[in-house]
Amino acid sequence: MRLIVSAGMITAALLLAGCSGGNELSTGGQNVRFVEEQPGSQCQLIGTATGKQSNWLSGQHGEEGGSMRGAANALRNQAAAMGGNVLHGVTSPSQNIISSFVPTASEMTGQVYKCPN
């Protein structure tokens, strides 16, 4: 009986530790920038990327700007993995009236471009 309780406690601790972390910005993600204006003709559209951050444990207002920062980091990391360095037309379809009261997952989507530096 004691072994089952200990195993359950270890499993719960591992699950909580895994869920509480945010999305760290990768080295490649650090080189991706957000732009408001449509990228010029010298830039190549690569595709669309999505970044997500779970808020189940961290809530909306975690450290360093909360879940939206985590979603933005995930978006920048994904854009870098696709070979892009510019994000345009970024939206947050997950943000609504419910997300103001309940810690729902945050999501950001944007178009990925590869532009000359």
Side-chain angles (χ1 to χ4, degrees):
M1 177 70 169
R2 189 175 267 184
L3 180 60
I4 293 172
V5 171
S6 295
M9 291 175 67
I10 290 171
T11 301
L14 289 174
L15 285 172
L16 290 175
C19 292
S20 62
N23 289 313
E24 297 292 324
L25 193 57
S26 69
T27 303
Q30 292 176 8
N31 297 320
V32 176
R33 66 186 192 277
F34 293 92
V35 296
E36 301 240 350
E37 294 183 23
Q38 177 77 32
S41 60
Q42 74 277 13
C43 298
Q44 174 189 3
L45 176 62
I46 295 175
T48 301
T50 300
K52 296 180 182 179
Q53 171 68 45
S54 172
N55 302 328
W56 185 69
L57 285 176
S58 62
Q60 281 292 93
H61 307 292
E63 59 188 54
E64 291 190 35
S67 62
M68 288 307 290
R69 178 169 310 269
N73 287 348
L75 180 61
R76 290 173 69 188
N77 291 343
Q78 169 131 12
M82 293 170 66
N85 60 355
V86 171
L87 282 160
H88 174 260
V90 176
T91 61
S92 300
S94 64
Q95 297 303 298
N96 56 38
I97 191 71
I98 294 173
S99 63
S100 299
F101 302 104
V102 178
T104 59
S106 294
E107 181 178 314
M108 296 178 87
T109 302
Q111 294 178 322
V112 179
Y113 288 84
K114 181 172 183 157
C115 298
N117 291 333

